[in-house]
Amino acid sequence: MNSNTIINYTFRWILILTVQVLLLKRIDMMGGWFYYMSILLYPILIIILPLRLSTITVMAIGFLTGLYIDMFYDSLGVHASACVFLGFTRGIVLAIISPREGYNVSYSPTIHQFGLLWFVRYTSILMGLFLFFYFSMEAFTFYYIFDIIGKTIISFIVSMIFIIIYMFIFNPKE
Amino acid sequence: MARFFGNLSWFGSFLVFILLEAVCFFLIYQFNQRQREILIHSSNLASGYMYEKYNQGRNYFRLEGIADSIANENAQLVQRLSNDLNPPLLILEDTLSIQIDTSAQELYKAISAKVINNSVNKNYNTLTLNKGASDGLSEKMGLITKKGVIGVVRKVSDNYALGISLINRQTNLSAAIKRNNYFGTLQWDGTNPTIMSLRDIPKHAEVMEGDTIITSGHSTIFPKGIIIGEVIDYKIEPGSNFYSIKIRLAEDLSNLNYVYAIKHLGREEIIELESSVENE
């Protein structure tokens, strides 16, 4: 990890976290049709963490990231729990969809390293699980299961569009 | 898979996951008013659900008693209707004068009972009731349901009563055509438990399919006008002066639950009067 990489990571985290809490959060505040739509871009930070990090490390990073987001969303613990869940499922999903020859541990799971199709498959599984868990924690009861599913589907579509756009614009290598 | 879980085992990662989630849950509960309320509310929902189910279960076991009390209430209503001037259930047309004579006196008494044994597949079918002499039942009381006549009480013990079902070869009941009041004798030929025969209706009477057959009131067992069934077929045997009429019973005798026993309160007096003439 050279100085270039550190600058890259710092820039990426500051940019995405700022965009998330200052811009994308405002979408949540709108009423009407936006009730079902939350744009969550920041999980991409955890999703494309380098493969060499252990699941426990990823969960710890996720926990801190989630707490940071929660401070702005006034929902202490909700994003954090979803991020910990994301870190845990990341390990499982990576193991399930691993290529036959295994991963090169110096890589990060990005479009640059693994191609668009693989990346979309990998990210959509994680984002689907993440969003369902997040909205479940937000509702905190399965009494509103149809609301939860509706929010998950719509937010999933919009969030995936934002993630793909981000990946195409910045095309992070690791 | 091991690589993504580091040197710790899969189980170790899972433990850390649970631990972090527990911390998150604590934070959510501690700092989020809405989720806390939901948690408390949900537990209320859960306990409320439990209580509701418990009560439903308890009510189920109380149903027997509830049904009994409703049946008793119905019996009182039937009794009141039987004694009304213009009752919708028991039409006492020609007892009008009696009603005026004995204006405040009750003429019929109804007692509800439950059928605890019943047969339909023998020649001499009977039914057993769960009430007997101690509940006011006595011999020769008419047995009816909401839909129609079903039999007559034959014998009573202290707590039970044995009734003769309509579909019994001994049945010999006076029945009339509602439309024109011609009356005959109702009998059963021992085959189909839903069909009975009406004999002794004279040839000059007009009979139609669908005619309602009611009790004639010519006995002290049944009041006049309780439905028995309807005509489904009729013919005159060659050389006979009487119709032979097939009747479909209004009540399904193979599926009885609660019945009413009707008591004519003037019965003893009438029998005494009639026998005193016979003995002369």
Side-chain angles (χ1 to χ4, degrees), chain B:
Chain B
M1 198 159 180
R3 178 181 301 144
F4 302 105
F5 296 98
N7 294 325
L8 281 168
S9 65
W10 190 92
F11 188 67
S13 295
F14 186 70
L15 280 185
V16 175
F17 169 66
I18 295 294
L19 186 78
L20 285 175
E21 287 295 349
V23 173
C24 291
F25 262 77
F26 174 75
L27 290 175
I28 291 171
Y29 177 77
Q30 200 65 36
F31 295 102
N32 294 274
Q33 187 64 26
R34 202 174 72 84
Q35 273 87 344
R36 188 192 336 214
E37 276 170 7
I38 286 172
L39 200 65
I40 294 163
H41 178 64
S42 287
S43 59
N44 282 346
L45 272 183
S47 55
Y49 178 80
M50 291 285 291
Y51 275 124
E52 194 190 322
K53 285 291 158 203
Y54 171 75
N55 271 326
Q56 277 177 5
R58 247 186 61 186
N59 277 343
Y60 179 78
F61 290 108
R62 284 173 48 206
L63 277 183
E64 184 87 355
I66 292 168
D68 275 339
S69 72
I70 290 172
N72 281 331
E73 221 172 284
N74 275 347
Q76 283 170 14
L77 291 174
V78 168
Q79 187 176 325
R80 270 174 57 185
L81 285 174
S82 309
N83 294 297
D84 250 351
L85 275 182
N86 196 7
L89 181 66
L90 313 173
I91 304 159
L92 310 169
E93 283 162 357
D94 52 4
T95 56
L96 189 61
S97 56
I98 301 170
Q99 293 275 339
I100 292 167
D101 287 346
T102 60
S103 50
Q105 195 185 329
E106 291 185 337
L107 198 56
Y108 291 101
K109 192 170 189 247
I111 299 162
S112 79
K114 197 178 173 189
V115 175
I116 54 175
N117 191 16
N118 185 16
S119 68
V120 292
N121 51 3
K122 300 180 206 157
N123 277 329
Y124 300 94
N125 291 305
T126 57
L127 40 91
T128 312
L129 308 177
N130 70 342
K131 286 186 179 170
S134 60
D135 303 292
L137 264 70
S138 59
E139 285 177 27
K140 295 282 180 185
M141 280 173 81
L143 294 174
I144 64 168
T145 67
K146 197 172 61 183
K147 288 184 193 159
V149 174
I150 57 160
V152 178
V153 176
R154 175 64 184 274
K155 211 169 170 134
V156 288
S157 65
D158 277 352
N159 296 308
Y160 297 97
L162 184 73
I164 298 179
S165 186
L166 265 191
I167 47 170
N168 186 309
R169 279 174 178 276
Q170 290 179 331
T171 298
N172 226 330
L173 191 72
S174 178
I177 299 169
K178 189 181 181 185
R179 195 160 46 85
N180 51 25
N181 274 329
Y182 281 104
F183 67 93
T185 310
L186 193 69
Q187 287 174 332
W188 188 55
D189 61 7
T191 51
N192 188 331
T194 62
I195 310 289
M196 291 190 75
S197 324
L198 183 60
R199 298 178 212 282
D200 303 342
I201 299 271
K203 202 155 74 167
H204 60 269
E206 191 196 2
V207 178
M208 293 197 297
E209 269 184 43
D211 268 348
T212 304
I213 304 297
I214 57 173
T215 52
S216 66
H218 291 171
S219 73
T220 52
I221 298 175
F222 289 105
K224 183 186 168 74
I226 299 176
I227 290 169
I228 295 171
E230 65 175 34
V231 176
I232 53 168
D233 188 25
Y234 63 94
K235 62 185 175 207
I236 302 172
E237 300 287 348
S240 170
N241 283 324
F242 299 100
Y243 279 102
S244 156
I245 301 172
K246 296 272 178 224
I247 293 165
R248 173 176 289 121
L249 292 175
E251 177 63 88
D252 179 4
L253 294 183
S254 56
N255 182 19
L256 295 172
N257 196 6
Y258 281 93
V259 301
Y260 302 109
I262 303 281
K263 183 175 196 172
H264 190 304
L265 294 177
R267 180 180 143 77
E268 277 78 19
E269 201 179 328
I270 292 171
I271 289 173
E272 200 179 315
L273 182 66
E274 286 175 355
S275 59
S276 71
V277 174
E278 276 171 17
N279 294 340
E280 272 176 11

